[in-house]
Amino acid sequence: MENSGGIQGNITAGLAGRYASALFDLARESKQIDSVQKSLATLKAALAESADLSALVASPVVSRTDAAKAVEAVAKTMKLDSLTAKFLGVLAENRRLADLPAMIDAFDAIVAAHRGEVTAKVTSAHPLSAAQLKALTANLKTRVGRDVQIATTVDPAILGGLVVQLGSQLIDGSIRTRLNSFAQAMKG
């Protein structure tokens, strides 16, 4: 692997990472990294939105044959690229569909490392606008000196502000954390 070593070694350490690494190698050889990444993003969004798809992926009761037929139909319906569709078939045959979300995350991390990008996980109380995402991306790019991809999640429990995970660095600017710190300071 051309970028084996520290980052790549950590990403591919577990089962999900090994499957993601194999998919990445195939995608790179066939020059389909972008199409596979797009298909996986579509699949990840569908897993988040569809309880039925999530149940199919996680269910140990569904036979290998039925799971393979189901993911083939899902791939066709969602118009996933052929490499991703074959990958899903292999996962169904090997009873590894339950690990799919972790494999998608690992694939994204491998692609980011391959492109020299850093991924920041950003949690906000409300969805960020396109302008806010653009400003945040520019700010983080200036901070780390490399291109930054942002993966956003919404958690109303943080009340406001942002929590940014950038590699091993955590920047917690949430109102919840500030209130907790204030409450601790008041206890003395």
Side-chain angles (χ1 to χ4, degrees), residues 45-155:
L47 284 168
E49 294 171 9
S50 171
D52 290 338
L53 183 58
S54 294
L56 167 72
V57 166
S59 177
V61 180
V62 178
S63 72
R64 292 173 195 237
T65 307
D66 290 343
K69 287 178 186 175
V71 295
E72 183 180 334
V74 165
K76 203 173 279 186
T77 301
M78 295 175 71
K79 296 182 172 83
L80 303 180
D81 70 279
S82 62
L83 186 56
T84 302
K86 288 176 188 172
F87 180 70
L88 291 175
V90 169
L91 295 181
E93 286 296 317
N94 293 340
R95 291 202 158 287
R96 297 291 185 208
L97 283 171
D99 297 316
L100 183 59
M103 291 175 195
I104 294 171
D105 290 343
F107 184 86
D108 287 341
I110 292 168
V111 170
H114 174 73
R115 292 179 176 156
E117 300 169 342
V118 177
T119 299
K121 295 177 183 175
V122 177
T123 304
S124 60
H126 304 284
L128 298 175
S129 70
Q132 289 170 322
L133 282 172
K134 186 176 179 181
L136 182 59
T137 302
N139 191 325
L140 291 173
K141 182 177 180 177
T142 302
R143 183 181 184 121
V144 297
R146 294 196 296 181
D147 286 339
V148 177
Q149 294 298 315
I150 296 182
T152 61
T153 55
V154 175
D155 180 5

